[in-house]
Amino acid sequence: FRSVAAVANFPHGNADVNAAVRDTQQIVQAGTQEVDVVLPYKALIVGDETGVAKLLQAVRLACPGLVLKVILETGELKTPELIQRASQLALDAGADFLKTSTGKTPVHATVDAARSMLGAIAASPDARSHVGFKASGGIKTVQEAMVYEAVTQQLLGLPTLTPKRFRIGASSLLN
């Protein structure tokens, strides 16, 4: 299982739909198999759910057949309610994965954010059977990674723990 991924709307998570679609089109033309897009989290924080949904839907349409990972930037969203709402908007737009963080903000992946995201996947009859979770940003030890594995197993079940449904973004673990 090997795929090439590239990131759209990165790292800023702006609400410019046209720019996000242009990024996505370049990614698709480059021949990647996966598109990561940063959810416009600042727009969500100020209550612009329509703008968030439009951007995510436009990116989904711009990469048909590819895996779409939506980066929620959970450290900026701060509350379980906002993380839950971001998760639902991403799922509604057709996300294949929910991802915690770009790693470019002060707060990265947290177990509480993971629980909110995994809870949203588990609560959705459509998403529960196929949407994955990726903990990314600030995971520096195998022990930290194992916590995310355990939470994922608890909320989505043991069969979820495959690369098609569960991933850890932790480049510092390579050492």
Side-chain angles (χ1 to χ4, degrees):
F1 177 84
R2 293 189 187 261
S3 295
V4 175
V7 188
N9 210 34
F10 181 85
H12 48 73
N14 291 338
D16 185 337
V17 174
N18 292 329
V21 168
R22 277 193 308 275
D23 288 351
T24 304
Q25 289 169 336
Q26 290 175 343
I27 291 166
V28 170
Q29 290 169 1
T32 64
Q33 294 79 43
E34 299 185 359
V35 173
D36 291 21
V37 62
V38 181
L39 180 136
Y41 59 91
K42 294 171 200 158
L44 182 60
I45 290 168
V46 298
D48 183 12
E49 290 188 11
T50 301
V52 173
K54 282 182 182 177
L55 185 137
L56 296 178
Q57 291 163 1
V59 168
R60 173 76 279 178
L61 288 172
C63 62
L66 300 185
V67 171
L68 178 62
K69 298 192 298 282
V70 177
I71 304 168
L72 304 186
E73 205 64 274
T74 56
E76 296 296 302
L77 295 177
K78 312 267 189 234
T79 68
E81 294 80 17
L82 269 178
I83 294 168
Q84 167 69 29
R85 191 63 193 133
S87 298
Q88 192 58 56
L89 289 167
L91 294 172
D92 290 347
D96 298 301
F97 266 85
L98 299 183
K99 183 175 173 180
T100 55
S101 171
T102 61
K104 302 293 184 186
T105 58
V107 177
H108 309 300
T110 67
V111 175
D112 287 340
R115 285 187 193 283
S116 292
M117 295 164 69
L118 289 160
I121 295 168
S124 170
D126 294 333
R128 184 174 180 75
S129 65
H130 72 277
V131 173
F133 169 75
K134 183 173 182 178
S136 184
I139 301 166
K140 298 187 183 329
T141 68
V142 171
Q143 290 76 18
E144 288 173 337
M146 289 174 64
V147 171
Y148 291 99
E149 180 183 51
V151 171
T152 301
Q153 180 177 340
Q154 176 188 24
L155 292 170
L156 295 181
L158 183 61
T160 306
L161 299 180
T162 69
K164 284 188 167 246
R165 300 276 314 273
F166 174 75
R167 300 182 191 170
I168 297 284
S171 55
S172 58
L173 287 179
L174 290 174
N175 296 331

